[in-house]
Amino acid sequence: CHHTAAHQQLRRTSLQPQRGSHHRRTQLVDPFNQPLGPLLGEKTAEKLAKQLGLTTTGHALNYFPRRYIERGELTPITQLPLGEQVTVIARVISATKRQMRSRRGFLVDVTVSDEASDAGLPGMLSMAFFNGWAAEQQLTPGTLAMFHGKTSTYRGELTLTNPDFTVLDDEYDPTEADLAPMPVYPAKAKLPTWTIRSAIDTVLEAINWSAISDPVPQEFLETLSQSLPALSDAYEHIHRPAEVSQAYAARRRFAAQEALILQTLLARRRQRNRTTIPSTAYPRTDDGVLAHLDAQLPFELTEGQQQAGTEIAAELDAIQPMSRLLQGEVGSGKTLVALRAMAQVVDAGAQAVMVAPTEVLAGQHHRSITNTLGQLATSGQLTSWQGPATEVVLLTGSMTSGQKQEALLKITTGQAGIIIATHAIFSDNVHFADLGLVVIDEQHRFGVDQREALRQANPGVHMLVMTATPIPRSVAMTVFGDLDVTVLTGLPSGRQPVTTHLARIAHGPRIINRVWEIIAEEIAAGHQAFVVCPKIDPSDMSTTQDADDPSSDAHAANVLEITETLDGMPMFSNARVASLHGRQDQQTQDEIMSQFVDGEIDIIVATTIIEVGVDVPNATVMAILDPEYFGLSTLHQLRGRVGRGEAAAQCFLATRLPDDHPSLDRLSVIEDTEDGFEIAKADVEQRGEGDVLGAAQHGYGSQLKVLKVIQHAELISKAATWLDEALAADEQLSAYPQLVAAVKAWETDHEDSSDYLEKT
C-alpha cells in the first residue's frame, strides 16, 4: 500500500539500525542470510516463502522489480491509447465477482473512474481480474488506486486485463506526491506487488551494509565503459530509485556481477574437468565397426561431418575427458557424427549411450542407428556376418519390466555396446560395464547443472552434446561455457530449401482455402503433409486465461477439431488423416509415426511433438496454424521436418492476426530467412534465452535475474577477458576471496537442480 511521505519518513526512521539492542541485532555475521520472520512478522514471511520461495534477507533483496512506473506516465482515461502500456489513477465505482463458465475459477469485474482533468470530464474504464483474490479484497467501491497494464478492447469497450494495481491513501495528491518511479514486482494473486514492495523496504532498512563485502572486484568494474554504483547503492537504487536512470545503472551493475560469477563458475568447472578426472583414451582401429561403417555408407560425408569427426576422434583418443557441443542445423547430419564417435569407443572395448529428450525420439534413434549399422549391429545374433559387430539396446521408462530387465542385463554385462535411452537411464540404477561416451541429443532440454551432475556420477566419461538450436555466441558463452563448441556446417546432399509463406487468414477465407488446396495437390502428387496446432483439444488453455478473456488462447487451433475438419473436406476424401499428440500412449504415438514414415498416412495433424527427430523425406508441405503461439526457434525446428527429400518443400504460417498486430513482424523473420542463427538471435531478443534454450526448466536460465545474453553480450565478453587474465596470474583467485565465495554460494543455492534425474 502506498504511504504518504510522512508515513514513509516515520517508518524509515524507526527501522534504521539504532544504538543499543536493535543495532546489535542487525550486526550479524551474514546480514544476507537472516530469516525474514523476525523482521516482517511470521505471517508475511510465510506468504513470501510459499508464494515466491523467498526465505532470507538476501532472497528478498535479490527479488528485483520487473519494471518501474514513472509518475509522468499517468494518462486521463478519456485519452488512453489502444494496445499500449498505460498508468491511470482512478477510484473504484463498482466491483463484482462471477464464476467462469468454461472452467473452475472466478472473475472480478471492476469499473473505475478518474478525476476530471484539463481534457474534460472524467472517464470510465472496466477491468477484469482472473481469480482476482487481491482485487476482490482490495478494490472495494470508493477505493483510490493506481492501475498499470495494457489496454485492449472487449465487446467494443476499452479495458485493462489483469493490470498491476497499488491502493493509494485517500489524501493522495498526485501533484504533491513523491515523483520517484514506483517499482512493480513480479507478483502472485495472493501476494500483490505492494506487499512485496513494503517487505523489501523493511529489509533494506534493516541491513547493516558495513558487514557486507562486494563480490565484484573493483578492478573488474573499472574495465567497464560506464561507472556503476557500489553494492549498497545498487540495492537501494534498484528497489527505490529517485529516478529511473538510477535503476537502469543498478541493473547493469547486477548484470555485470552475474556475468562475472557465471564465467568464474564455468572456468573453474573446465579447469576441474581438465585436471582432476583423467579419462580413458579410445584410439581408432583399422578393422572395427567404425571402419566398416564408413565403408558401407551409401554417400560421402559432408566436409562439415568430416571436420567434426576428425576433431571428436582426436579427443576420444586422449586422457582428458571430451566436453564438446556439436551444433548443427536441422538435418545437418549430427546423428551420424555421433554414431561414428560411438563406434570408435565400442571398437576400443567400451560402451556408449545416447540420451534423447523423449521416448519418441529415443525410439527413432534406435531404429535409425540399427538400420544404419545393418550387419554391424548383429552381435549376439545368428548371422553369416563374420566381421566386427556390436549390439544396440533401447531403454525407456515405458518398457515392460521384462524388457527392461533384459536391456539392463545386456548393459551390465557389456553385451550392449551402444545404448539408446531417455534421461531415465541415470535414475534407474543402471550399471554400465564400461561407459566411455555419453551423447546427449537436443541439448537445449538438458542444462549445464545436469551435465555437471552427470560428470560427477560418471567420472572421466567423454561427453558429446548435440543441438539443432542455433545459438548466438553470447548465449553459448553463458550456457555452454563448460563445453568446447563445434559448429557442423553444410547440409547433406539432397536437402531442399523450404519456401515459407505467411498466410494471413484475416484477408479472407480464400487464404486458408488455398493452403488446403496446396496440401491436397501435394498429396495427389504422392507426397505427405504436416499440420501443426498449438492445442490438443478445444478445452486446452493456458493456466491463467479463460474464454471470457479477449486475450486468451481459447480459440487457438487444436488437433482434434482440425483432424475432424480435414476428414470432412471433399478435397481430402481420399487422404488418410491421423492425429498425433502427447496425451496418446507411447505405443499409439510410435504406431502413428511409423505409419506416417511408411507412407500409410497422408496428413498428420500434430502438436509440437514432431519438433525434433522425425525424419520423413516424402513430406513436402507443412501448415502451422496460429503460429504466434510458438517461439521462432520452435517454428524453425518444425519447418525443418519438411524438405528432407529430393522434392521442393513449402511451409505456411496460417495466422488470424490483423495486419497491424506486432506479432506479424516476428513471424516475418521466419518467412524471410532460413538462417538459424539469425532466427535464434531474433528469438532471444524477443523472448529471452531461457525460452529459446529450454533453460527455464534446466540450467542457469531460471537463475539469471538480470543478465540478458544478447543485451549484455559486451559485459559477458569483458567478464570472460578479465577472468582469463586473473586466472593466468593465479588459478586459485586467492586475491578475490569474495568472488570465490559468491561462486560457491551460487553452486550451493542451485545444487538441487539435479531433479532431471527423475524419470522422463
Side-chain angles (χ1 to χ4, degrees):
C1 177
H2 180 86
H3 291 264
T4 62
H7 284 157
Q8 287 201 7
Q9 185 55 48
L10 177 65
R11 191 162 55 78
R12 287 177 185 176
T13 304
S14 65
L15 283 170
Q16 288 291 348
Q18 304 292 323
R19 292 175 189 257
S21 62
H22 183 65
H23 189 202
R24 283 196 298 275
R25 184 170 66 78
T26 57
Q27 281 279 22
L28 299 163
V29 176
D30 183 359
F32 269 22
N33 198 29
Q34 301 311 307
L36 292 172
L39 264 180
L40 305 176
E42 294 304 331
K43 190 174 178 183
T44 301
E46 195 176 310
K47 271 189 182 177
L48 289 167
K50 185 176 179 182
Q51 298 293 324
L52 303 176
L54 308 180
T55 58
T56 68
T57 46
H59 288 161
L61 291 183
N62 286 310
Y63 194 74
F64 295 154
R66 61 182 172 85
R67 69 178 306 277
Y68 301 87
I69 297 173
E70 295 189 78
R71 300 297 199 264
E73 294 177 21
L74 294 176
T75 312
I77 289 175
T78 54
Q79 296 179 11
L80 291 178
L82 178 61
E84 291 184 22
Q85 295 287 342
V86 299
T87 303
V88 297
I89 291 178
R91 198 172 294 278
V92 177
I93 304 299
S94 67
T96 57
K97 178 181 175 181
R98 60 188 168 96
Q99 294 301 309
M100 294 190 204
R101 291 194 300 271
S102 58
R103 63 185 178 90
R104 292 174 62 184
F106 64 91
L107 286 161
V108 176
D109 293 311
V110 176
T111 302
V112 302
S113 173
D114 59 1
E115 307 295 326
S117 66
D118 296 341
L121 295 172
M124 303 277 281
L125 183 64
S126 64
M127 306 175 188
F129 295 87
F130 296 92
N131 290 326
W133 290 280
E136 182 186 12
Q137 291 171 354
Q138 303 282 335
L139 298 179
T140 53
T143 301
L144 185 70
M146 179 183 291
F147 301 92
H148 179 84
K150 188 174 183 180
T151 53
S152 59
T153 55
Y154 182 46
R155 294 174 179 164
E157 298 290 324
L158 197 68
T159 184
L160 289 179
T161 302
N162 274 348
D164 289 317
F165 68 92
T166 299
V167 174
L168 304 175
D169 289 343
D170 261 349
E171 60 267 30
Y172 177 87
D173 182 347
T175 59
E176 297 176 6
D178 176 11
L179 294 178
M182 180 183 289
V184 178
Y185 292 88
K188 296 287 180 74
K190 294 184 178 179
L191 191 64
T193 187
W194 64 85
T195 302
I196 301 168
R197 189 159 64 236
S198 177
I200 291 174
D201 254 3
T202 302
V203 175
L204 268 174
E205 299 296 347
I207 290 287
N208 174 24
W209 294 105
S210 63
I212 291 172
S213 53
D214 193 337
V216 181
Q218 188 60 34
E219 302 98 290
F220 169 60
L221 288 176
E222 286 169 2
T223 67
L224 305 178
S225 50
Q226 103 188 52
S227 62
L228 298 175
L231 189 64
S232 57
D233 290 338
Y235 277 111
E236 177 70 26
H237 293 169
I238 206 162
H239 290 295
R240 293 195 300 221
E243 51 192 47
V244 81
S245 60
Q246 284 187 336
Y248 293 148
R251 288 188 80 83
R252 183 172 168 80
R253 195 257 187 235
F254 286 115
Q257 181 169 318
E258 285 186 355
L260 185 60
I261 288 173
L262 206 53
Q263 292 303 314
T264 308
L265 185 148
L266 294 172
R268 287 167 72 87
R269 286 189 178 174
R270 280 198 304 272
Q271 187 182 60
R272 196 156 64 226
N273 292 331
R274 270 201 310 269
T275 57
T276 60
I277 312 167
S279 180
T280 303
Y282 301 109
R284 286 194 60 161
T285 57
D286 293 333
D287 191 37
V289 172
L290 177 55
H292 284 268
L293 171 62
D294 285 348
Q296 73 185 35
L297 286 175
F299 49 79
E300 289 287 317
L301 293 173
T302 65
E303 188 178 336
Q305 287 174 320
Q306 289 173 359
Q307 288 174 350
T310 301
E311 208 167 46
I312 290 166
E315 285 194 295
L316 291 175
D317 189 13
I319 59 167
Q320 182 177 312
M322 175 175 71
S323 291
R324 185 162 291 279
L325 175 71
L326 179 62
Q327 181 181 328
E329 284 276 20
V330 173
S332 58
K334 296 182 298 298
T335 306
L336 181 57
V337 172
L339 175 56
R340 294 181 71 246
M342 291 192 287
Q344 179 174 333
V345 169
V346 167
D347 284 339
Q351 294 168 295
V353 60
M354 176 179 277
V355 186
T358 66
E359 294 203 355
V360 169
L361 190 49
Q364 174 148 334
H365 277 318
H366 181 253
R367 286 191 295 273
S368 68
I369 284 174
T370 304
N371 291 339
T372 303
L373 288 172
Q375 58 196 6
L376 300 172
T378 57
S379 177
Q381 300 173 25
L382 292 172
T383 67
S384 58
W385 172 245
Q386 298 297 309
T390 188
E391 184 166 356
V392 184
V393 164
L394 178 67
L395 182 65
T396 64
S398 68
M399 288 166 62
T400 66
S401 57
Q403 291 170 324
K404 269 189 186 174
Q405 286 305 315
E406 184 183 353
L408 289 168
L409 182 63
K410 290 178 178 179
I411 294 167
T412 304
T413 60
Q415 183 178 332
I418 294 176
I419 300 100
I420 315 294
T422 57
H423 299 159
I425 193 164
F426 300 119
S427 62
D428 268 349
N429 202 20
V430 179
H431 300 287
F432 295 94
D434 182 8
L435 182 60
L437 171 66
V438 175
V439 178
I440 299 169
D441 192 19
E442 288 310 324
Q443 161 60 32
H444 67 290
R445 305 192 181 193
F446 193 81
V448 65
D449 290 333
Q450 289 77 1
R451 291 196 298 276
E452 184 67 6
L454 184 55
R455 287 191 188 101
Q456 289 173 0
N458 301 275
V461 72
H462 292 289
M463 191 177 297
L464 177 67
V465 292
M466 307 192 296
T467 184
T469 304
I471 301 150
R473 182 173 175 274
S474 58
V475 179
M477 283 179 71
T478 55
V479 184
F480 306 115
D482 58 330
L483 300 172
D484 301 308
V485 180
T486 294
V487 178
L488 187 55
T489 54
L491 292 179
S493 58
R495 282 305 304 265
Q496 299 295 322
V498 181
T499 307
T500 304
H501 306 280
L502 200 52
R504 302 189 184 192
I505 300 172
H507 288 190
R510 69 186 187 286
I511 301 295
I512 190 64
N513 288 340
R514 183 62 190 133
V515 171
W516 300 136
E517 285 169 6
I518 290 168
I519 289 176
E521 289 162 10
E522 287 296 309
I523 289 167
H527 297 302
Q528 291 163 279
F530 290 100
V531 176
V532 182
C533 305
K535 301 196 303 179
I536 295 174
D537 69 44
S539 67
D540 291 336
M541 280 183 287
S542 62
T543 54
T544 59
Q545 295 184 324
D546 184 71
D548 292 318
D549 173 6
S551 65
S552 84
D553 55 4
H555 308 294
N558 66 82
V559 169
L560 300 189
E561 286 186 337
I562 294 297
T563 303
E564 199 176 310
T565 299
L566 297 185
D567 258 337
M569 293 173 73
M571 71 177 81
F572 296 127
S573 57
N574 295 320
R576 296 157 297 182
V577 184
S579 303
L580 182 69
H581 55 77
R583 285 192 204 137
Q584 295 163 328
D585 62 57
Q586 192 59 49
Q587 187 177 351
T588 303
Q589 291 178 31
D590 288 344
E591 284 172 2
I592 292 168
M593 208 58 244
S594 297
Q595 288 170 358
F596 192 58
V597 170
D598 295 340
E600 296 167 16
I601 292 171
D602 300 305
I603 304 174
I604 202 156
V605 184
T607 58
T608 54
I609 196 168
I610 61 152
E611 179 185 349
V612 292
V614 185
D615 192 3
V616 188
N618 192 44
T620 55
V621 61
M622 172 179 285
I624 304 175
L625 308 183
D626 297 318
E628 58 272 16
Y629 289 104
F630 305 120
L632 296 186
S633 292
T634 296
L635 292 172
H636 182 55
Q637 291 273 87
L638 288 167
R639 174 172 59 181
R641 298 299 110 214
V642 294
R644 303 174 79 85
E646 301 289 340
Q650 299 176 84
C651 176
F652 296 95
L653 306 177
T655 179
R656 291 178 281 195
L657 296 176
D659 283 352
D660 59 351
H661 199 286
S663 282
L664 289 177
D665 292 337
R666 196 171 70 85
L667 294 175
S668 67
V669 173
I670 295 289
E671 187 180 36
D672 295 342
T673 182
E674 281 199 86
D675 184 332
F677 282 92
E678 284 302 310
I679 290 165
K681 185 178 178 187
D683 211 4
V684 172
E685 287 170 344
Q686 291 163 2
R687 297 200 305 149
E689 59 279 0
D691 290 333
V692 174
L693 298 165
Q697 303 165 51
H698 301 309
Y700 288 143
S702 56
Q703 299 156 17
L704 295 175
K705 292 178 170 52
V706 182
L707 191 68
K708 301 294 181 191
V709 293
I710 295 290
Q711 183 184 335
H712 298 125
E714 168 221 359
L715 285 179
I716 294 166
S717 180
K718 287 190 172 179
T721 302
W722 182 87
L723 186 64
D724 284 345
E725 292 173 4
L727 286 169
D730 174 14
E731 282 198 351
Q732 301 308 311
L733 296 175
S734 46
Y736 309 107
Q738 289 91 352
L739 175 59
V740 173
V743 171
K744 284 181 180 170
W746 179 289
E747 288 197 280
T748 303
D749 274 356
H750 304 111
E751 64 189 3
D752 61 352
S753 56
S754 57
D755 59 355
Y756 81 104
L757 293 175
E758 295 171 12
K759 292 184 184 180
T760 49

